[in-house]
Amino acid sequence: MGLGMLAVLAMVGGGGEEARADLARRRNEVVEVVQKVSPAVVFIGTEQEVESPFRGRRSIMEEFFGAPPQAQRTQGLGSGVLVDASGVIITNDHVIRGASAIHVVLADGRELEAEVVGSDANNDLAVLKVNSKQPLPAAKLGTSADLMIGETVVAIGSPFGLSKTVTSGVVSATGRTFKADGRTYNDFIQTDAAINPGNSGGPLLNVDGDVIGINTAIFASAQGIGFAIPADKVRRIMDELTRFGKVRPAWVGLEVEGLSPRLARQLGWDRTYGVVAREVEPGSPAEQAGVRRGDVVAEMGGARISDAEDYVTRARGYPARAAFPLVVFRDGESKTLQVTPVEFPPQLVEALGWNRLGLRVKPVRGAMAVQSVRPGSAADEVGLEPGDLITRINNQPTTEPAAFQEALLSARGSRSVLLVVRRGRYGYHVTLPF
């Protein structure tokens, strides 16, 4: 019997056996989960400095006294869950993205400053750390591999700033894919437990009180539909963020394309999902696992692949050295292959820029200068020239070679990239096919 139950029994002590029996009857699995895990759920408040919309105008105070303009502060809120007694917290990336300060309020009312251990926008996950002299209550990070459609789940968080809010429902579906904020998110748990703004980053729990997912409210148009990042994916990304502070780009060496009905018939594939292996790079993890050009790639990590974009986004959920099963169809038979991605070879990044964009670059004055342009390439066709400075790729700064490489790797799977190019005193936005 938990402490919460003992406290309630003490309050109704004069009610006799009937009151005790009534409380015992009303105590269900949701109540037990809440009492067990809620001490590990935290409220997260953030502050962010933003430029004033009136930047460039001088106020009366500035005109007379030369007072510097004050940056405006915006506030955000969300939830998180402690998964280690040392103060490790899991939440969503979009909860803390761009924050200049992060405040964590524990269940006992204490407020602590948090630091970001690592964060990844592609998987919408972040790991925070708070320092406490005493061990903190922590929830157990379970598994999502054995989830059953229809099983009871409980969500705890702070929707709209209402802390310690509990909702319950069932697992409605697994492996869901959807688009939000210009990104494709995949392999999500769908639930009918209410998940609203402020719930983001809180835990989705099974009846044992294990964290089986991290809730997210990024799909704003959902009505009565909630989504959570499955625990197995959370564990992979959390380990990568804890060790390296980011998710290292991983290399599979497999390029795929969508299956047209005609191509599917030629390959003997009679399903409505899957992609075809267009290119398998020599010596790559895909080749070593046994993938061949022309294979139908049907499943990754136990989930069906709907199209080429789905394949790319799913692959990003597996960091280097995190193996996954790949189901391929060849010559009328399905085979399950084990693929282990590795760190992206540095020499291939330069080839990526040259083959896809037609550019070689070098660092100059806090940007990457175009060193050479491949004749007939996309860069050549739009008129890029040696000496042009590339300052951003898809809104990622390219101030040094490592940043340029990371931006290129992040763009893999995209149909085009947006470059910010500076030539002399002028800046241009240039879109190139990728």
Side-chain angles (χ1 to χ4, degrees):
M1 186 178 296
L3 294 176
M5 186 64 175
L6 290 173
V8 172
L9 288 177
M11 292 174 62
V12 298
E17 294 299 325
E18 184 178 347
R20 291 182 175 84
D22 183 56
L23 285 175
R25 177 181 58 80
R26 288 158 46 198
R27 181 183 176 84
N28 58 24
E29 55 192 12
V30 174
V31 173
E32 291 179 353
V33 168
V34 172
Q35 291 183 353
K36 177 181 178 181
V37 182
S38 58
V41 180
V42 301
F43 171 83
I44 298 177
T46 63
E47 295 181 7
Q48 182 177 5
E49 291 189 357
V50 298
E51 293 182 357
S52 168
F54 301 105
R55 183 179 176 88
R57 302 182 187 178
R58 292 178 62 81
S59 66
I60 295 176
M61 290 291 288
E62 292 172 314
E63 291 288 350
F64 282 90
F65 301 104
Q70 297 297 314
Q72 292 185 340
R73 287 182 178 270
T74 61
Q75 295 183 331
L77 54 87
S79 306
V81 59
L82 285 151
V83 292
D84 191 276
S86 65
V88 178
I89 297 169
I90 302 176
T91 187
N92 288 142
D93 167 79
H94 77 263
V95 170
I96 57 92
R97 190 182 307 153
S100 55
I102 303 172
H103 313 285
V104 169
V105 180
L106 306 181
D108 61 12
R110 282 184 292 163
E111 181 175 333
L112 302 174
E113 296 294 317
E115 62 177 16
V116 179
V117 176
S119 187
D120 182 68
N122 286 325
N123 293 288
D124 196 29
L125 283 169
V127 177
L128 310 180
K129 181 72 166 63
V130 294
N131 295 317
S132 174
K133 295 180 180 179
Q134 298 85 28
L136 297 171
K140 175 186 174 183
L141 184 59
T143 180
S144 52
D146 58 358
L147 287 179
M148 298 177 290
I149 306 302
E151 71 171 289
T152 300
V153 289
V154 179
I156 307 178
S158 305
F160 304 107
L162 302 171
S163 61
K164 302 180 183 177
T165 293
V166 176
T167 57
S168 65
V170 298
V171 174
S172 303
T174 58
R176 287 299 198 207
T177 297
F178 59 91
K179 294 184 178 181
D181 299 330
R183 295 179 183 271
T184 298
Y185 297 91
N186 63 27
D187 196 23
F188 272 64
I189 302 167
Q190 181 184 325
T191 177
D192 63 351
I195 295 174
N196 295 297
N199 267 117
S200 288
L204 188 69
L205 308 155
N206 62 17
V207 294
D208 293 326
D210 296 339
V211 178
I212 52 106
I214 296 297
N215 300 322
T216 180
I218 52 180
F219 195 27
S221 60
Q223 300 255 343
I225 299 175
F227 293 98
I229 305 167
D232 294 338
K233 184 174 184 178
V234 170
R235 184 177 286 103
R236 293 194 301 266
I237 302 303
M238 176 185 172
D239 180 66
E240 191 79 354
L241 295 177
T242 301
R243 294 172 61 193
F244 304 103
K246 63 179 181 180
V247 175
R248 297 168 299 166
W251 182 56
V252 174
L254 173 61
E255 297 287 336
V256 302
E257 63 183 19
L259 269 172
S260 65
R262 180 180 178 182
L263 180 57
R265 285 194 300 269
Q266 290 175 344
L267 296 173
W269 182 248
D270 60 358
R271 310 297 170 87
T272 58
Y273 59 91
V275 292
V276 65
R278 183 182 65 196
E279 195 69 44
V280 181
E281 299 189 45
S284 68
E287 184 191 57
Q288 293 174 8
V291 183
R292 298 181 189 172
R293 188 173 183 272
D295 284 350
V296 174
V297 183
E299 298 180 15
M300 174 187 289
R304 294 175 177 178
I305 299 172
S306 59
D307 54 32
E309 185 179 18
D310 185 32
Y311 166 80
V312 171
T313 52
R314 287 186 186 279
R316 285 175 178 165
Y318 291 92
R321 309 298 172 183
F324 59 84
L326 200 68
V327 177
V328 301
F329 177 82
R330 178 194 312 152
D331 298 330
E333 295 183 0
S334 291
K335 305 176 186 244
T336 300
L337 310 176
Q338 199 72 7
V339 180
T340 304
V342 298
E343 294 86 351
F344 204 96
Q347 65 272 19
L348 292 183
V349 183
E350 183 177 349
L352 193 66
W354 183 249
N355 295 331
R356 297 280 188 90
L357 301 179
L359 292 174
R360 284 200 177 97
V361 297
K362 62 181 180 180
V364 174
R365 301 191 304 276
M368 299 302 295
V370 175
Q371 191 172 14
S372 56
V373 179
R374 180 166 56 84
S377 65
D380 184 40
E381 290 180 359
V382 299
L384 290 182
E385 300 175 352
D388 289 342
L389 298 180
I390 299 175
T391 60
R392 285 180 177 270
I393 296 180
N394 285 352
N395 207 33
Q396 290 185 241
T398 53
T399 55
E400 57 183 359
F404 183 86
Q405 292 178 3
E406 185 172 336
L408 276 182
L409 292 177
S410 297
R412 283 178 304 152
S414 303
R415 296 179 180 177
S416 62
V417 294
L418 177 65
L419 308 183
V420 178
V421 180
R422 196 167 72 239
R423 179 180 294 176
R425 296 181 302 165
Y426 301 98
Y428 306 88
H429 286 82
V430 178
T431 300
L432 297 180
F434 197 64

